[in-house]
Amino acid sequence: MNSKVLSLIAGRIGVALVTLLIVSFLVFAATEMLPGDVAQVLLGQAATPEAVAGLREAMHLDQPAIMRFLGWLGGMAHGDLGHSYTNRMAVSELIGTRLGNTMKLAAITAAVAVPVALSLGILTAIWRGSLFDRAVSTLVVGVISIPEFMVATLAVLIFAVWLGWLPALSFGGSTDSIWDILRAYAMPVITLTFVVSAQMIRMTRAAVIETMKAPYVEMALLKGASRSRMVLRHALPNAIGPIVNAMALSLSYLLGGVIIVETIFSYPGVAKLMVDAVATRDLPLIQGCAMIFCLGYLFLITIADVVAILSNPRLRH
Amino acid sequence: MAIVFPTPRRLGWRLNPVGLVAACVIAFWAVIAVIGPWITPHPPGEIVDYDFFGPLSAQFPMGTDYLGRDMLSRVFSGARYSVGISLAAVMIACTAGIVLGMSAAVIGGMTDTIISRLLDAISSIPSKLFGLVVVAAIGSSIPVLIAVLAVVYTPGSYRFARALAVNVATMDYVTVARARGEATIYLIRAEILPNILGPVLADMGLRFVFVVLLLSGLSFLGLGVQPPNADWGSLVRENMGGLSFGAPAVIMPSVAIATLTISVNLLIDNLPTRIRDRSE
């Protein structure tokens, strides 16, 4: 039994690795489509043909694309992501200085969003059909159907412009006291929390309601158990698997949200680095950032899969 | 014998009031997308007010933007890009997804595995990231945007259509059709498609919402529709400077997006079950 679970999990991880390989190929291929000669573009119009040829050789542009792909892949395996076109710094170093910031933002958001979304999701499932449920569900559909930047602009309008509690857009002003740091993080975290929680509440509510359709929950109801006991003692333990699965999946929405939020609030994270790299067409940097994001995304999705396998014995066959 | 015409009411296609309002909002934006450029009160590209980030007024119902251009005219002419590009992309994505999904379900075996694995790989790239990488590599133009959006949303549509089609493909009448020696094309067109059409169309509506959101997100990052043209996402981007003093120019294009996407969601939630859940 146990070895079977292990082999299933190993299978999932294997699939994730193969997917990562395909993704890296897609990312590489996409950046290969750049029209024109990169060396020519970098050196400008006035470059001599010899200089262009020299740079092409130095950048291995004279080799076939497949060789460059393999070289890039090999470099990536031991942490060498190439050098930025614009400032010649190592991509891994550029990303390294920013990755911590993005992780911090994601961690704070998760710490706020998970408890809030979990309790709201379970409560709406308990009081299904009530005014509370309908109010929360309407709000959730509202947040899901508007763009992230609208959530962010609304947050700025409400908390900075009308109420005047928080600084509007500036990030990285004074960071002398804990209070300043809290104030600086508040707006991005509020925005991301709204975006991520909406997904989480929806999925958690669906997972609990799905479990409540099971015969043993009906049995508890017939036995005379109270509604909260029915949910908390009978349905919830069996819904934990699907809920954790839902949490991991909705955390992957952080990645999309983070790109918008870091741009709006000029937060010095990897996503901002990548958006700036797109503006300057800094391909190695874009490739590096893209791979980091895909890695994080695949990691979360694989966790969701593994949790689903562990929590539901029926998926093991 | 009197001839009974199949009115929407008889077919069970009646909408409830919420669905009706949502349908009206969608129809409004659809009409604006077609005739928008001709009914703008001011030329959308022309500076008509000395004041930038002007407030709401009778002359400029949505205020003015960062250069003093009329926001209402700009939102109206932006509808064409937001709605048009999204519609084209969702059509391509869903057609590809549904055809591939039905083929995979009917043919099965290796074909199914290969298509599924490949599309899974595409869907494991976060959508905004995919847009960023492609646009960075080949630059942004309307055909590129449509292609990117279509590629991003094909896997989801495929998975949905395949899941439905797999259930239908095991039905007795499909087995009978197979035994009759019908070709795959016939099975897909005559046996599978009519039985999954309702839910698949509802799914297409939801996917349209995702496409509108992704397009506006890309435009907001400056990677979507390029100046001098502007869709609703680009309008928010160019007016971000007015956010810190609450200019209506920042919020109005977002409101336009929200009315459209929320209406589509509401319409689908309130569709008669007969259309939505035909296969269940």
Side-chain angles (χ1 to χ4, degrees), chain A residues 149-217:
Chain A
F149 60 78
M150 187 173 176
V151 180
T153 45
L154 286 179
V156 171
L157 278 183
I158 293 172
F159 293 109
V161 179
W162 293 336
L163 296 176
W165 291 351
L166 298 165
L169 293 176
S170 55
F171 199 91
S174 68
T175 49
D176 301 334
S177 68
I178 288 281
W179 181 238
D180 284 336
I181 296 173
L182 272 184
R183 276 165 58 96
Y185 271 101
M187 210 74 91
V189 169
I190 289 174
T191 310
L192 278 176
T193 303
F194 260 95
V195 174
V196 176
S197 303
Q199 299 286 351
M200 265 188 210
I201 292 173
R202 200 153 126 132
M203 288 174 165
T204 310
R205 180 174 176 275
V208 175
I209 285 178
E210 188 57 37
T211 332
M212 284 177 62
K213 284 183 189 156
Y216 54 81
V217 178

Side-chain angles (χ1 to χ4, degrees), chain B:
Chain B
M1 199 173 101
I3 298 167
V4 180
F5 286 104
T7 59
R9 182 172 300 210
R10 284 209 189 88
L11 287 170
W13 285 4
R14 227 151 28 118
L15 274 176
N16 61 13
V18 179
L20 204 62
V21 171
C24 289
V25 175
I26 298 168
F28 169 75
W29 283 125
V31 170
I32 293 293
V34 177
I35 63 167
W38 293 296
I39 58 159
T40 51
H42 305 272
E46 212 164 277
I47 296 170
V48 287
D49 192 10
Y50 295 115
D51 204 9
F52 57 94
F53 290 131
L56 311 183
S57 63
Q59 200 191 354
F60 309 111
M62 287 191 183
T64 52
D65 76 350
Y66 72 115
L67 292 176
R69 295 175 292 192
D70 177 39
M71 260 336 265
L72 181 69
S73 309
R74 290 189 67 72
V75 169
F76 272 15
S77 47
R80 170 164 290 193
Y81 297 101
S82 283
V83 177
I85 294 176
S86 307
L87 209 57
V90 83
M91 288 287 183
I92 297 174
C94 286
T95 311
I98 293 165
V99 169
L100 285 174
M102 288 192 300
S103 313
V106 171
I107 300 170
M110 270 312 270
T111 318
D112 186 12
T113 316
I114 292 173
I115 300 179
S116 296
R117 278 279 150 267
L118 205 64
L119 290 180
D120 271 354
I122 294 179
S123 69
S124 62
I125 307 179
S127 50
K128 278 207 192 63
L129 199 76
F130 187 79
L132 276 173
V133 171
V134 173
V135 170
I138 44 183
S140 183
S141 63
I142 288 175
V144 169
L145 279 176
I146 293 178
V148 168
L149 295 169
V151 169
V152 166
Y153 287 105
T154 302
S157 171
Y158 164 81
R159 209 176 297 164
F160 187 82
R162 183 184 167 277
L164 289 171
V166 162
N167 284 337
V168 178
T170 56
M171 294 280 178
D172 286 342
Y173 54 81
V174 180
T175 317
V176 170
R178 274 186 214 273
R180 277 206 307 270
E182 302 286 6
T184 308
I185 306 272
Y186 173 88
L187 290 176
I188 289 173
R189 186 177 54 78
E191 307 286 357
I192 311 275
L193 184 60
N195 289 296
I196 65 169
L197 197 59
V200 153
L201 286 182
D203 175 66
M204 193 164 164
L206 289 181
R207 228 155 281 284
F208 175 74
V209 172
F210 297 144
V211 173
V212 171
L213 293 182
L214 179 57
L215 173 65
S216 61
L218 286 178
S219 290
F220 176 77
L221 293 173
L223 303 167
V225 179
Q226 298 297 315
N229 302 325
D231 73 328
W232 294 337
S234 330
L235 288 179
V236 178
R237 174 189 171 81
E238 55 187 34
N239 292 309
M240 271 312 269
L243 180 61
S244 44
F245 44 94
V250 191
I251 209 69
M252 284 305 167
S254 307
V255 172
I257 299 171
T259 52
L260 179 64
T261 50
I262 292 178
S263 298
V264 173
N265 263 333
L266 284 179
L267 177 67
I268 288 166
D269 280 350
N270 290 293
L271 275 183
T273 39
R274 180 160 170 160
I275 302 180
R276 213 168 16 149
D277 305 328
R278 207 160 145 196
S279 73
E280 286 174 11

Side-chain angles (χ1 to χ4, degrees), chain A residues 130-145:
Chain A
S130 67
L131 193 64
F132 173 75
D133 175 31
R134 272 181 288 161
V136 172
S137 298
T138 311
L139 189 69
V140 162
V141 171
V143 173
I144 288 180
S145 24

